Amino acid sequence: MDWDDLRFFLAIYRAGSTSGAARALGVQHTTVGRRLTGLEEALGTSLFARTAMGLVPTTAADDILAHAQEVERHVQSIGRTVESGDHRFEGVVRLTTSEAFSGYFVRRLSKLHRDHPRLVVEVLSGNRVFDLSRGEADLAVRIAPTPQLDVVCRCIGHANWGLYASEGYIAARGQPSAGFGGHAVIGYDPSLAFTPGAMWLAEHARAAEVPIRANSITSALNAAIVGIGIAAIPCFLADGEPTLRRVTNDTVGQREIWLVFHPDVGRIARVRCVMDFVAAEIAADRATLLGETGSVAAAV
């Protein structure tokens, strides 16, 4: 048996198809199919049933899954152990964070590049939660702690949320009263229902119109900028927009900011460099993240 075939087996098991596994591994789907066939021939059994819904694991696949995962963990541990002895501030560091935070870091990375020109930071943005234990990313900046037991979660700051609207919207509709009757708010779809802004609006703005629902905070920000309605969004995003004003002095919620990493990866010099940079930027921007620098609409 070719041990490397287990890597393809795990990718197929997780994706449910050869095409999905190919995307995850960055290879052609024909390569995935060939490696699966080779593994099945070596083991003398079928690992997946081919159905119209995709590849369904057989009992044999379920039986070897835990063993294959253990091999994967050991292989990745070998790589992390070797890399931990690398004391150079160069190479690639993959940082995963939300879409909202990605812009925050991208605008600041020039300072890091100036000090370490051979260091490359790949920013992986979006709502997908990358598995740090499996090496899908090196670092994560998240607004909720990670339940995984084999990673380190370090709280490095806090981010407040506020209510924002464009100057044109406030001039046309004025300040909202209790219940937000006669006003429009930017809603969130179920994927963001448990964010501080969505929960506050669900409780306090039941009488408002909801002309648009967003599945990203950046979309809600843009909707507020063009005057569609009032948005509940992180203060650090909105306070930098010249046409937006805080509707009320009060913030409407807070989230902790967590730096998440595998302890072995955290010992690699280039990764530690990015970790220190991220933590320093968050600490230096405390007032911005808490919404203490924004402009409140004059009528408040």
Side-chain angles (χ1 to χ4, degrees), residues 14-15 19 28 76 88 98 120 134-135 148 206 225 251 294:
R14 290 161 179 157
S19 58
Q28 297 293 323
Q76 291 170 345
R88 296 170 297 175
S98 66
V120 178
R134 286 169 44 200
Q148 289 177 256
R206 296 175 181 172
I225 290 173
T251 55

Side-chain angles (χ1 to χ4, degrees), residues 60-82:
D62 291 333
D63 288 342
I64 71 169
L65 176 63
H67 299 294
Q69 290 173 328
E70 189 68 16
V71 171
E72 179 185 51
R73 282 192 289 271
H74 282 297
V75 170
Q76 291 170 345
S77 180
I78 290 171
R80 289 193 293 262
T81 299
V82 172

Side-chain angles (χ1 to χ4, degrees), residues 99-135:
E99 182 185 16
F101 256 125
S102 65
Y104 174 89
F105 289 119
V106 166
R107 287 192 294 270
R108 290 161 173 76
L109 284 175
S110 60
K111 292 185 285 185
L112 181 65
H113 180 69
R114 181 187 62 222
D115 295 335
H116 304 286
R118 298 178 67 85
L119 186 63
V120 178
V121 180
E122 291 184 358
V123 180
L124 311 174
S125 63
N127 294 330
R128 178 191 168 190
V129 178
F130 287 84
D131 191 331
L132 303 184
S133 298
R134 286 169 44 200

Side-chain angles (χ1 to χ4, degrees), residues 136-149:
E136 293 182 343
D138 300 309
L139 296 173
V141 176
R142 295 174 178 160
I143 57 172
T146 301
Q148 289 177 256
L149 298 178

Side-chain angles (χ1 to χ4, degrees), residues 205-221:
R206 296 175 181 172
E209 309 164 22
V210 184
I212 184 174
R213 294 188 188 277
N215 71 346
S216 79
I217 296 169
T218 303
S219 295
L221 170 71

